[in-house]
Amino acid sequence: MVKLKKIGNIKIIICQDKQEVAQEGAKIFAEDTKENPSIVLGLATGETPVGMYQELIRMHKEEGLDFSRVTSFNLDEYVGLSGDHSQSYRYFMDDNLFNHINIDKAKTHVPSGIAEDVSVSCQKYEGDIKAQRGIDLQLLGIGSNGHIAFNEPGSPSESRTREVGLTEKTIKDNARFFENESEVPRKAVTMGIATILEAKKIVLLATGSNKAEVVARAIKSPATTDIPASFLQNHPDCVFVIDQEVANGL
Ligand code: PGA
């Protein structure tokens, strides 16, 4: 049984463990997709959403959850990695979700990490989102330094899709996915904070004791560029789905 809480604008669903976080997250995505089969989803990578994607795949296979009319936009991509690199976020999305559901790949968007002109490519990404009349439902994780997407501490609230440098903390956190730390790209293309905040509804998933302190700061400290996730306090429809270990920090 989940517990519900609200702090400021932020609704909080407290789950027992990460399995329940995956189920509750998937429930929101499935319900909104059933209600609006042409929904525009904002999607995220990282370890946290994997269980939720597995649950959505199960719902597709066992319950016929239909993604055929869905459009998606991912938050970010490493600079220098093409979509066939096993650590690229395009590869991650194909492998963890898109290859297992009936989404039209032509309607799935991930920023390019290998664009010849990055700023043109970023502007086009923003234009593509606008052409779909914006993102209906955005999924987020949170970095241990408070980043959302690759908007690292110091990112302005009005930021848009752009190329950014990664902090040492993020490089260290993400080194577990690479052979060694030196292989982690130092740059990424990311949706900006303003891009994310324009989504009509936002769901942030966080699990594990290492996220407890940063989630508490994101919800309770005044909104600050030091903790980019704290800008979510200004969003009218944002829900955090967290496990008990994260909730212990609140
Ligand atoms: P994680 O990453 O899910 O792998 O912890 C979250 C993030 O950096 O946004």
Side-chain angles (χ1 to χ4, degrees):
M1 272 295 279
V2 302
K3 281 181 259 164
L4 304 178
K5 208 171 165 151
K6 196 162 183 219
I7 300 179
N9 276 336
I10 298 190
K11 290 167 265 182
I12 306 166
I13 301 178
I14 302 171
C15 304
Q16 250 151 41
D17 51 26
K18 67 178 189 181
Q19 283 77 18
E20 196 170 34
V21 168
Q23 283 163 8
E24 289 299 313
K27 223 191 266 177
I28 298 171
F29 276 74
E31 274 164 19
D32 285 17
T33 302
K34 280 186 217 159
E35 209 165 284
N36 173 13
S38 305
I39 194 165
V40 180
L41 299 179
L43 297 176
T45 53
E47 204 173 320
T48 313
V50 171
M52 185 190 114
Y53 291 153
Q54 284 168 356
E55 180 61 8
L56 288 175
I57 293 166
R58 189 198 64 72
M59 289 168 153
H60 167 66
K61 295 205 161 127
E62 293 176 12
E63 298 164 16
L65 181 60
D66 181 22
F67 293 90
S68 61
R69 290 162 62 192
V70 169
T71 298
S72 73
F73 288 91
N74 261 80
L75 288 167
D76 44 16
E77 180 61 282
Y78 288 117
V79 166
L81 302 193
S82 63
D84 54 7
H85 188 288
S86 66
Q87 292 310 326
S88 74
Y89 286 166
R90 159 54 74 182
Y91 188 98
F92 175 102
M93 289 310 300
D94 287 349
D95 196 34
N96 283 285
L97 184 65
F98 299 152
N99 287 347
H100 312 286
I101 58 174
N102 66 335
I103 199 164
D104 175 358
K105 285 253 185 95
K107 292 191 190 145
T108 67
H109 305 79
V110 180
S112 172
I114 52 164
E116 243 170 62
D117 188 326
V118 182
S119 85
V120 169
S121 164
C122 290
Q123 272 177 34
K124 181 174 181 311
Y125 204 70
E126 289 275 335
D128 288 346
I129 294 172
K130 285 211 171 73
Q132 297 293 328
R133 284 190 239 99
I135 291 169
D136 296 306
L137 176 59
Q138 176 69 57
L139 179 65
L140 295 176
I142 180 170
S144 60
N145 63 358
H147 73 203
I148 46 175
F150 276 131
N151 294 287
E152 300 282 34
S155 300
S157 60
E158 62 276 14
S159 52
R160 293 269 161 199
T161 304
R162 67 206 187 287
E163 183 176 286
V164 293
L166 304 186
T167 59
E168 277 306 311
K169 178 93 180 94
T170 296
I171 291 164
K172 279 199 169 28
D173 281 353
N174 290 3
R176 68 192 194 279
F177 301 112
F178 292 81
E179 296 257 306
N180 59 61
E181 200 179 303
S182 67
E183 284 183 19
V184 183
R186 267 45 188 170
K187 287 184 191 165
V189 173
T190 183
M191 277 188 203
I193 292 174
T195 322
I196 292 169
L197 288 177
E198 274 171 12
K200 295 175 190 82
K201 177 172 169 183
I202 297 178
V203 174
L204 182 145
L205 308 185
T207 57
S209 54
N210 64 324
K211 299 284 174 74
E213 190 189 332
V214 78
V215 168
R217 292 178 71 202
I219 294 175
K220 290 178 159 175
S221 74
T224 163
T225 55
D226 294 345
I227 310 161
S230 65
F231 288 120
L232 297 169
Q233 294 171 23
N234 301 328
H235 195 278
D237 192 0
C238 178
V239 50
F240 280 38
V241 186
I242 61 176
D243 66 3
Q244 194 55 54
E245 288 185 18
V246 174
N248 290 341
L250 292 179

